[in-house]
Amino acid sequence: MGRTIKIDPVSRIEGHAHITLHLDDDGNVEDAKFHLTQFRGFEKFCEGRPFPEMPALTARTCGICPVSHLVASSKACDHLLSVTIPPTGANLRRLMNLAQLMQSHALSFFHLSSADLLLGMDSNPKSRNIFGLLAVDPQLAKDGIRLRQIGQTIIEILGGKKIHPGWMVPGGVSAPITEEKRAEMLAMLPEGLEIAQRTFESFKGLIGKFSEEIEHFGNFPTLYLSLIKPNGGLEHYDGFFRIKDDSGAIVEDMVPLEEYERVIGEAVEPYSYMKFPYYLPAGYPEGIYRVGPLARLNNCDFCGTKLADAALDEFRALQHGRPVSSSFHFHFARLVEIIFALERMKELLDNPHILDTRVRARARGNSDEGIGVAEAPRGTLIHHYKIDDDGLITWANLIIATGHNNLAMNRGIKQAAEHFVDGNNMQEGMLNRVEAVIRCYDPCLSCASHAFGQMPLRIELQDSRGKVLDQLLREVSL
Amino acid sequence: MPGPPVTTSTGMKVRVVTLKINEHDIGARETDSILDVAQANHIRIPSLCFLEGLSTWGACRLCVVEIEGYPRPVSACSTTVSEGMVITTHSDRLKRYRRTILELLFAERNHVCSVCVSNGHCELQDLAAECGMDHVRVPYRNQPYAVDSTHEMYRVDHNRCVLCTRCVRVCDEIEGAHTWDVMGRGIECQVITDMNQPWGDSSSCTSCGKCVQVCPTGALVKKGTAAGEMEKHDEFLPYLAQMRGNR
């Protein structure tokens, strides 16, 4: 009789989800599903609202990456205004977006995933968290907290608040920065870079212990989608779409952002509130692709800053120049991007034009439709709005970064479960590995609910009629 | 007993009375409201529908005070002082009433501050903070109202309206256009322009913007403002009212 294992909730991720593993009569994994169990409805309740409210309104989707929504939404509103925003306005937005990228990557790596990496996948779940990490490697834990603090503080200096700043608006940003603010931000960057490099070096030393995980943590061929600069460089704010296949061949290049519907389709499945985007010309589900740091580094020709480019060479060497296919290496790519973000922020702040006071273009809604695309920490984020003659939203579509990875996450947990889970001898560490695959993608399933350790983990074995045959309980550890 | 009549700067003869507010002895003209006297003596009484320069409405009830010998609280804005009054502005009961009034206002329509254009510059929000209204104990009505964005420069979002009627009064009493009025009852009650036409189609509106400046919340705002960007300036009103002879 087939059985089902339910991992509910998935811990140390942002948002609420559970995983079901379906076992055959012999206890082998037959199928695996990642279920997003929460419903938000932003696209619907934004209807009727004035479009200038959209950046702040949609940013409330999430407390971890509100800046990413501010960027994509503000860009969609720029499109509605039909204006080119002042260069300094765009660069200030880039600055905040990079600070966001850095703090979010730091959260994912240090707070959510490093416990698995340092303490071990099979370590005691009660201490397999940031506090357990503090006991074993206090320097690493402090580094993570400090790096995140630097990113959050830069966001606060620019936008007045660490979470949900309101400074990014249609047409640019609402206020320029002062020399004092610039100096304050620049002063923090060297320490950040030191931490980032130190962590990168120590992570590389750990990789050898995880060869089995690297091999089975979502390691399969997919396409990769990301933004790209016109010259092929790493891009997080603007540019064009590029899609590469697993051999490294470019499938689509220099696709204007406004033409996203030509390459991206969206499917739905009855078992999840998350949509399943796919590469439209390849069909569903064959058009599976991945986004985020792994895809961005696989797609770009170079980063464009010294230390990040050196780190990119080491990333490329992981798979001998071919696109890196193991989702485990999202962690690696994240650390490279942290280095890049710190270097690029310094470049932006060193430019004297960053103090220019023309930072906003003003106009009314001059277009019926606006599309804004940017790279969120987790991948490409798309906001698409339609408005009426009075500037009220009539239709909205948001394609969230995590959604792009939905097909890959489902396939990834299946691969890991098939390898690690033995239905006849269930161990907590097996299931933690299945969760850890999800953590590689750093999914942001809603607004930030950092309830890791506070939610008990329940895993049930059920027969086909739902009768509980066996269960494992992870107790509240905080 | 009230003192002898004194002549005001406008030539009016009024008597001076003595009273107590929060145990402070105060002298005031007998024609003044309790709220006027409290403000003149730097005693803060929360209020929402009241605005200096406009006629008194007395609808929000936030300025309720207790007067010794009175069976129930009265609104400070619409009650004139009298000789020997003993007034309390902040008893536990009054604080509870004010919090409850605010909770009902917040529950009636959509006052989600975080995404409002008036966030950080909103009288309702300030009052909630002042009165300690940190949560709402009654169910939200979640009644949706359409946003009227048809005017060239301004927008009315009925979801943010508290029906204080400042817009109605300023338009009638100061601008003299009487574009704004009130329609319907209960949850259907809302401010309207002309004969409930879209604001952009109003033939009486002069687009002066006074209604926007006196609106205490994010209901009447300038178009193009993003969250937190709408700041109101109603300092002009007392001067304008005085220049027009309080007509």
Side-chain angles (χ1 to χ4, degrees):
Chain A
M1 184 187 295
R3 293 176 297 169
T4 301
I5 299 175
K6 188 178 182 186
I7 304 176
D8 184 13
V10 181
S11 63
R12 281 186 281 140
I13 58 167
E14 288 113 8
H16 306 281
H18 70 252
I19 293 169
T20 51
L21 305 177
H22 304 275
L23 310 181
D24 63 17
D25 293 345
D26 299 326
N28 299 316
V29 174
E30 204 168 47
D31 200 4
K33 292 272 192 296
F34 180 58
H35 308 258
L36 177 60
T37 52
Q38 57 192 113
F39 178 75
R40 306 300 300 279
F42 270 77
E43 289 155 324
K44 199 64 193 168
F45 64 66
C46 285
E47 288 178 5
R49 298 308 305 171
F51 78 84
E53 288 183 8
M54 289 300 276
L57 191 53
T58 54
R60 293 281 158 174
T61 310
C62 179
I64 291 295
C65 41
V67 173
S68 307
H69 287 283
L70 280 179
V71 175
S73 182
S74 297
K75 287 183 71 185
C77 291
D78 297 343
H79 196 187
L80 291 170
L81 301 173
S82 305
V83 295
T84 302
I85 72 170
T88 301
N91 281 337
L92 286 169
R93 284 184 181 176
R94 286 175 191 273
L95 192 60
M96 189 184 258
N97 198 37
L98 289 166
Q100 153 70 16
L101 183 92
M102 189 189 82
Q103 69 86 9
S104 176
H105 278 359
L107 174 76
S108 169
F109 181 80
F110 291 94
H111 297 64
L112 303 183
S113 282
S114 64
D116 290 333
L117 304 176
L118 250 86
L119 307 177
M121 297 284 174
D122 299 299
S123 61
N124 184 352
K126 287 186 177 177
S127 56
R128 198 172 55 213
N129 51 45
I130 188 81
F131 298 101
L133 197 66
L134 264 168
V136 172
D137 190 343
Q139 184 60 47
L140 186 95
K142 283 179 192 167
D143 277 353
I145 291 165
R146 176 62 181 149
L147 201 54
R148 182 149 194 262
Q149 183 188 31
I150 291 172
Q152 292 284 67
T153 305
I154 291 173
I155 292 171
E156 184 179 26
I157 291 169
L158 292 170
K161 285 199 290 185
K162 286 188 171 75
I163 301 173
H164 296 305
W167 170 75
M168 220 176 286
V169 293
V173 296
S174 61
I177 59 166
T178 60
E179 179 61 53
E180 291 71 31
K181 286 185 175 182
R182 174 167 81 156
E184 204 181 333
M185 288 185 274
L186 273 170
M188 288 186 285
L189 298 181
E191 185 193 355
L193 197 53
E194 201 179 300
I195 293 171
Q197 286 181 280
R198 184 161 65 225
T199 310
F200 183 58
E201 291 305 319
S202 95
F203 174 75
K204 284 188 293 181
L206 282 174
I207 291 178
K209 296 181 188 169
F210 292 95
S211 51
E212 198 178 354
E213 281 79 6
I214 290 169
E215 187 62 30
H216 299 284
F217 267 31
N219 188 6
F220 40 73
T222 64
L223 300 170
Y224 301 97
L225 178 143
S226 72
L227 299 188
I228 203 85
K229 281 187 195 304
N231 62 3
L234 181 63
E235 175 63 57
H236 295 92
Y237 175 78
D238 212 352
F240 298 88
F241 287 115
R242 173 178 279 179
I243 298 176
K244 270 189 185 178
D245 69 15
D246 195 53
S247 72
I250 293 175
V251 178
E252 298 273 358
D253 207 14
M254 300 303 148
V255 178
L257 303 183
E258 292 74 25
E259 295 178 20
Y260 81 91
E261 288 169 305
R262 183 163 68 75
V263 291
I264 298 172
E266 292 183 272
V268 290
E269 293 283 0
Y271 61 83
S272 179
Y273 281 119
M274 185 156 45
K275 290 186 282 192
F276 291 76
Y278 60 98
Y279 174 52
L280 195 59
Y284 180 79
E286 288 74 21
I288 178 174
Y289 62 84
R290 281 178 276 185
V291 298
L294 188 80
R296 288 192 287 258
L297 294 196
N298 277 336
N299 276 0
C300 74
D301 299 332
F302 57 91
C303 290
T305 59
K306 190 180 164 195
L307 296 173
D309 272 325
L312 179 65
D313 287 342
E314 295 186 65
F315 175 79
R316 297 239 196 273
L318 291 170
Q319 214 152 318
H320 313 294
R322 284 172 64 94
V324 176
S325 58
S326 173
S327 296
F328 184 88
H329 287 312
F330 266 99
H331 296 310
F332 198 117
R334 221 163 261 133
L335 294 174
V336 177
E337 282 203 324
I338 290 177
I339 293 171
F340 170 79
L342 286 156
E343 288 183 297
R344 185 78 183 106
M345 281 193 281
K346 182 171 185 320
E347 284 179 2
L348 287 166
L349 285 166
D350 280 340
N351 185 337
H353 288 295
I354 202 72
L355 296 174
D356 285 357
T357 52
R358 185 181 288 275
V359 293
R360 184 176 187 175
R362 291 185 185 272
R364 297 179 178 201
N366 290 305
S367 172
D368 295 338
E369 202 165 343
I371 295 169
V373 185
E375 285 289 344
R378 292 150 192 85
T380 315
L381 174 63
I382 302 170
H383 281 223
H384 185 178
Y385 312 142
K386 293 179 185 174
I387 56 171
D388 65 15
D389 290 345
D390 299 322
L392 302 180
I393 298 286
T394 57
W395 178 88
N397 188 30
L398 314 180
I399 304 182
I400 307 297
T402 294
H404 296 287
N405 283 330
N406 202 0
L407 277 170
M409 284 191 287
N410 274 282
R411 193 180 289 186
I413 56 169
K414 187 180 177 197
Q415 184 188 44
E418 281 170 346
H419 182 77
F420 291 107
V421 175
D422 175 359
N424 299 316
N425 178 27
M426 205 164 59
Q427 302 294 324
E428 195 277 339
M430 298 174 182
L431 298 166
N432 184 45
R433 283 180 174 79
V434 178
E435 287 186 80
V437 175
I438 294 295
R439 283 180 210 123
C440 288
Y441 292 88
D442 185 25
C444 186
L445 302 177
S446 68
C447 51
S449 53
H450 292 285
F452 75 87
Q454 293 178 348
M455 295 185 288
L457 173 64
R458 189 182 77 251
I459 305 136
E460 286 182 350
L461 275 168
Q462 300 175 352
D463 66 16
S464 56
R465 284 169 296 187
K467 186 181 172 191
V468 177
L469 302 174
D470 193 6
Q471 66 172 8
L472 269 181
L473 284 176
R474 177 189 295 165
E475 293 173 3
V476 175
S477 60
L478 287 180
Chain B
M1 288 292 289
V6 294
T7 306
T8 66
S9 58
T10 55
M12 202 166 76
K13 289 195 179 213
V14 293
R15 289 176 187 277
V16 173
V17 296
T18 55
L19 63 150
K20 276 181 189 283
I21 301 182
N22 298 342
E23 303 191 347
H24 293 288
D25 290 319
I26 289 170
R29 293 179 298 189
E30 64 178 357
T31 52
D32 287 345
S33 71
I34 296 172
L35 190 61
D36 290 336
V37 175
Q39 285 178 345
N41 287 277
H42 309 292
I43 298 168
R44 166 75 183 162
I45 300 177
S47 65
L48 182 58
C49 66
F50 175 83
L51 191 64
E52 188 182 350
L54 298 181
S55 61
T56 301
W57 189 246
C60 74
R61 315 309 286 178
L62 276 167
C63 68
V64 283
V65 294
E66 289 170 347
I67 304 173
E68 229 174 70
Y70 280 50
R72 54 183 171 272
V74 298
S75 58
C77 67
S78 60
T79 306
T80 49
V81 292
S82 61
E83 181 62 30
M85 264 186 177
V86 179
I87 299 164
T88 303
T89 64
H90 283 80
S91 68
D92 286 346
R93 177 171 73 152
L94 291 173
K95 289 178 193 170
R96 194 172 71 246
Y97 284 0
R98 290 189 187 120
R99 276 202 307 273
T100 305
I101 290 166
L102 287 166
E103 286 177 41
L104 292 169
L105 284 173
F106 272 87
E108 187 169 301
R109 300 200 180 183
N110 183 331
H111 295 288
V112 177
C113 301
S114 57
V115 296
C116 178
V117 293
S118 287
N119 187 18
H121 316 286
C122 171
E123 291 185 45
L124 184 67
Q125 188 181 39
D126 291 344
L127 281 166
E130 179 185 349
C131 297
M133 195 220 81
D134 50 12
H135 63 285
V136 174
R137 292 167 294 178
V138 294
Y140 286 87
R141 298 299 303 261
N142 296 319
Q143 170 83 0
Y145 297 85
V147 176
D148 182 351
S149 197
T150 55
H151 192 281
E152 195 181 352
M153 292 184 287
Y154 310 117
R155 181 171 69 235
V156 56
D157 183 352
H158 297 285
N159 298 287
R160 310 288 198 197
C161 179
V162 291
L163 297 170
C164 67
T165 72
R166 286 186 187 179
C167 55
V168 177
R169 286 175 281 155
V170 78
C171 190
D172 177 50
E173 297 165 15
I174 306 295
E175 180 60 14
H178 201 127
T179 300
W180 290 101
D181 217 316
V182 184
M183 179 193 82
R185 300 183 72 81
I187 201 160
E188 305 295 333
C189 184
Q190 64 180 63
V191 290
I192 56 168
T193 44
D194 284 358
M195 301 301 285
N196 194 24
Q197 296 155 281
W199 194 1
D201 294 344
S202 166
S203 56
S204 66
C205 177
T206 62
S207 301
C208 71
K210 292 187 186 69
C211 53
V212 173
Q213 297 302 339
V214 301
C215 172
T217 68
L220 287 165
V221 297
K222 286 193 281 191
K223 285 172 90 167
T225 44
E229 287 199 312
M230 185 67 224
E231 291 187 51
K232 309 285 180 77
H233 295 284
D234 57 18
E235 303 87 6
F236 69 93
L237 194 58
Y239 304 106
L240 206 53
Q242 195 174 16
M243 294 299 286
R244 298 193 177 177
N246 284 321
R247 281 180 284 122

